[in-house]
Amino acid sequence: MGLLTENTLTPLAVAVAIFLLLVDLMHRRQHWAARYPPGPIPLPGVGNLLHVDFQNLPYCFSQLRRRFGDVFSLQLGWTPVVVFNGLAAVREALVTRAEDTADRMPVPIFEHVGYGPRSQGIFMARYGPAWREQRRFSVSTLRNFGLGKRSLEQWVTEEASCLCAAFADHDGRPFTPNALLDRALSNVIACLTYGRRFEYDDPLLLRILDLMEATMKEESSVLLTVLNAFPVLLRIPGLANKATRMRRNFLAQLDELVTEHRMTRDPVLPPQDLTDAFLDEMEKAKGNPESSFNAENMRLVVSDLFVAGMVTTSITLSWALLLMILHPDVQRRVQQEIDEVIGQVRRPEMADQARMPFTTAVIHEVQRFGDVIPLSLPHMTTHDTEVQGFLIPKGTMLFTNLSSVLKDEAIWEKPFRFHPEHFLDAHGRFLKQEAFMPFSAGRRACLGEPLARMELFLFFTCLLQRFSFSVPAGQPRPSDHGVYHFMVTPSPYQLCAVPR
Ligand code: HEM
């Protein structure tokens, strides 16, 4: 210790500082590359972390877009980030440059919950053979188990009836619909993955929902963010386990369901659900170390489908009900169309949709206005690429600002208002809009889009066929401003559901 005198400490500190600055400079050197997108000047060490409001990223990005244009760059710590805004830039990045922009960022902590080269689920899987195999499998299984056929449609319609019964139990008194929507939409995924539904008060269903919510909270925790940013900390014994406790509990719960499923499966019957189909693929892949059909990956794929498939659709339906109580004139027009096309007795079917342009326009406008996943999921470049004339190096994190497309002032007549006419032509016919992009686009676009569309149409029409929704008497009109937390949920509200 005696060696560390003031004389030696000062040059040492200067040397360390210079070294750190050089390392920092190395990480930021792409800023000086020709045609790199503009952005705020990064500070040594932290980059632009202090320029970004993580509590409200969509607003922060809209401000930065005003300053720097449709394609701008940021440096988050040492991670280079490029943000695309507006239809032209987002489409070019996701569709024209699909092959270059389809990767996801590595998430070091996931290695502690079973992620490996052959087990990455779908959502966060790196762009490669394991992702491709599971994406193909999920899409074809969704199709085989009834998308486009009647079986899944029947499941959804029956679930919608159960949801109506649960709404009716409130006898027209005020209630918050969110918990019931979550349960109904979880049942659709449970039907796909396990071929079963749960009663809404089944403790197992409630536990799955609690664990799912806790997992999502855990994933945005400070501890997890720090561990991902500085993976070296993962070597501290016990830390990774502490940071992933909820996710591991959630996966363990799904394992129990698979075990139960295995015991009750009739081996003579063809696969009845996604778990059966996955187990069959595992059997075929026995001895093939390259296959992503393994027990570890099955739980990750199923947990991805639960999280991706349930929460997004439930929040969208919550937006739909909120917007109906805020716009009773629109609600009445939807009910009028339901009465004309379906009547009051028969259950709605997907085939009705083609004859219900107003309802279809309303559902699209709910998705546009609700803007549930405003910044989509981050992507990463697999190669150096060029978008809107800017050069973006391999390994750059990409944000595609879907919100900037769904609310683009150059495209929509009233971008910040709920206005179903955005999706209707002058003759009242449904009008497709290129800038309707809530499911993203390109290679990583939402694989559940057809199921989500079916759920939204059937749940929405079943509910409006049975009930009139209103703001509870004596309560103030709820706000239509969303709350951003990766997804945008409506501010908490209550409604009354009065049978028609
Ligand atoms: C209204 C409902 C939904 C919305 C708004 C929505 C939106 C999205 C978005 C924006 C992405 C990210 C796309 C990208 O990275 O470019 C995504 C990915 C995904 N969604 Fe959905 N989604 C919905 C419903 C569903 C449903 C019902 C399922 C499944 C049953 C599902 C499964 C997935 C999966 C597995 C991915 C990851 C795809 C991949 O990385 O290859 N989603 N979704």
Side-chain angles (χ1 to χ4, degrees):
M1 286 307 281
L3 289 174
L4 291 178
T5 62
E6 200 176 315
N7 281 353
T8 49
L9 258 182
T10 314
L12 189 68
V14 171
V16 169
I18 291 175
F19 174 74
L20 288 177
L21 275 174
L22 281 176
V23 173
D24 191 55
L25 228 82
M26 293 260 296
H27 280 93
R28 297 194 285 139
R29 70 182 189 281
Q30 47 212 27
H31 261 275
W32 291 284
R35 290 199 282 143
Y36 189 69
I41 295 174
L43 303 170
V46 289
N48 300 119
L49 284 174
L50 303 178
H51 295 114
V52 173
D53 175 7
F54 289 95
Q55 302 298 319
N56 195 351
L57 269 187
Y59 178 73
C60 170
F61 283 1
S62 72
Q63 296 302 101
L64 289 168
R65 180 190 187 189
R66 274 179 215 278
R67 264 178 76 194
F68 297 105
D70 285 348
V71 185
F72 62 82
S73 65
L74 291 167
Q75 182 79 33
L76 300 183
W78 283 344
T79 308
V81 174
V82 168
V83 184
F84 301 105
N85 302 273
L87 181 60
V90 169
R91 272 210 85 82
E92 188 178 342
L94 290 176
V95 183
T96 318
R97 302 289 177 207
E99 186 62 27
D100 301 342
T101 59
D103 206 357
R104 298 263 191 239
M105 296 296 287
V107 187
I109 189 111
F110 280 178
E111 283 164 29
H112 295 261
V113 285
Y115 277 63
R118 300 282 147 215
S119 56
Q120 308 184 0
I122 315 171
F123 219 55
M124 294 309 296
R126 303 295 304 271
Y127 185 55
W131 166 78
R132 204 165 285 115
E133 196 166 45
Q134 288 310 319
R135 179 152 177 132
R136 208 174 291 141
F137 169 76
S138 298
V139 169
S140 73
T141 310
L142 276 165
R143 204 179 293 129
N144 294 344
F145 289 119
L147 277 175
K149 296 188 191 165
R150 283 197 58 84
S151 55
L152 189 62
E153 186 175 337
Q154 265 166 11
W155 272 99
V156 177
T157 318
E158 273 157 34
E159 196 56 54
S161 295
C162 297
L163 183 65
C164 286
F167 273 26
D169 286 345
H170 287 275
D171 282 330
R173 287 189 301 271
F175 69 99
T176 306
N178 303 28
L180 287 174
L181 293 174
D182 283 355
R183 293 170 203 186
L185 289 149
S186 294
N187 268 341
V188 176
I189 305 292
C191 140
L192 261 175
T193 49
Y194 302 121
R196 63 172 285 189
R197 74 175 294 276
F198 300 89
E199 291 304 322
Y200 290 163
D201 56 359
D202 187 323
L204 186 51
L205 175 65
L206 301 185
R207 183 165 159 72
I208 291 176
L209 285 167
D210 281 350
L211 285 171
M212 218 185 314
E213 197 185 326
T215 304
M216 284 190 287
K217 268 201 194 124
E218 187 177 77
E219 250 141 56
S220 52
S221 70
V222 177
L223 177 60
L224 210 117
T225 313
V226 171
L227 290 176
N228 275 327
F230 304 101
V232 67
L233 298 176
L234 289 168
R235 296 195 188 158
I236 300 175
L239 214 52
N241 278 355
K242 187 171 167 9
T244 55
R245 197 162 66 91
M246 289 305 156
R247 181 174 264 270
R248 283 181 296 108
N249 287 347
F250 178 43
L251 293 174
Q253 183 62 71
L254 297 183
D255 286 345
E256 274 180 37
L257 281 164
V258 173
T259 309
E260 184 194 305
H261 199 80
R262 269 187 159 146
M263 287 191 311
T264 51
R265 180 174 177 192
D266 183 345
V268 182
L269 290 177
Q272 302 291 304
D273 50 51
L274 185 129
T275 305
D276 286 350
F278 203 105
L279 289 168
D280 287 357
E281 292 298 329
M282 270 169 65
E283 199 54 39
K284 282 190 233 161
K286 253 189 186 159
N288 174 5
E290 295 300 305
S291 172
S292 65
F293 288 103
N294 51 63
E296 201 64 72
N297 209 17
M298 178 159 68
R299 62 213 293 256
L300 296 176
V301 168
V302 170
S303 81
D304 278 0
L305 292 177
F306 258 103
V307 176
M310 188 285 274
V311 188
T312 44
T313 323
S314 175
I315 296 175
T316 307
L317 278 171
S318 176
W319 272 112
L321 294 178
L322 171 68
L323 290 164
M324 289 306 97
I325 64 175
L326 291 176
H327 299 273
D329 50 324
V330 175
Q331 181 177 178
R332 265 193 301 277
R333 281 183 68 188
V334 172
Q335 286 169 330
Q336 196 182 330
E337 195 174 61
I338 291 175
D339 293 349
E340 282 165 17
V341 176
I342 307 170
Q344 282 278 341
V345 181
R346 176 172 71 76
R347 286 176 177 181
E349 294 168 5
M350 281 316 285
D352 295 321
Q353 197 177 24
R355 291 185 295 140
M356 299 177 70
F358 188 73
T359 307
T360 309
V362 168
I363 295 173
H364 279 69
E365 181 65 357
V366 165
Q367 285 202 267
R368 187 200 69 78
F369 182 86
D371 191 9
V372 168
I373 313 190
L375 303 176
S376 189
L377 245 73
H379 289 221
M380 187 175 84
T381 41
T382 45
H383 303 97
D384 292 355
T385 191
E386 186 174 334
V387 177
Q388 299 279 293
F390 293 106
L391 291 183
I392 302 163
K394 174 181 174 176
T396 305
M397 182 179 189
L398 309 174
F399 277 100
T400 45
N401 188 349
L402 299 182
S403 187
S404 71
V405 183
L406 292 174
K407 301 204 168 156
D408 197 326
E409 292 174 53
I411 295 177
W412 306 97
E413 195 190 330
K414 299 179 181 174
F416 304 107
R417 296 260 190 91
F418 178 69
H419 185 62
E421 287 71 16
H422 283 141
F423 294 94
L424 291 168
D425 70 9
H427 306 284
R429 287 180 300 226
F430 176 70
L431 187 65
K432 264 194 174 167
Q433 295 280 10
E434 203 196 351
F436 177 74
M437 214 187 262
F439 297 102
S440 186
R443 301 274 150 90
R444 301 303 288 246
C446 177
L447 67 80
E449 177 175 344
L451 172 61
R453 283 175 181 272
M454 181 194 275
E455 290 175 315
L456 292 178
F457 179 75
L458 292 175
F459 276 106
F460 186 64
T461 47
C462 282
L463 287 169
L464 268 81
Q465 184 187 42
R466 278 281 303 277
F467 302 100
S468 284
F469 295 98
S470 54
V471 178
Q475 286 195 17
R477 209 178 129 81
S479 159
D480 67 1
H481 281 276
V483 181
Y484 172 75
H485 193 80
F486 170 58
M487 284 185 247
V488 177
T489 50
S491 310
Y493 70 94
Q494 286 196 315
L495 50 68
C496 290
V498 176
R500 297 178 62 211

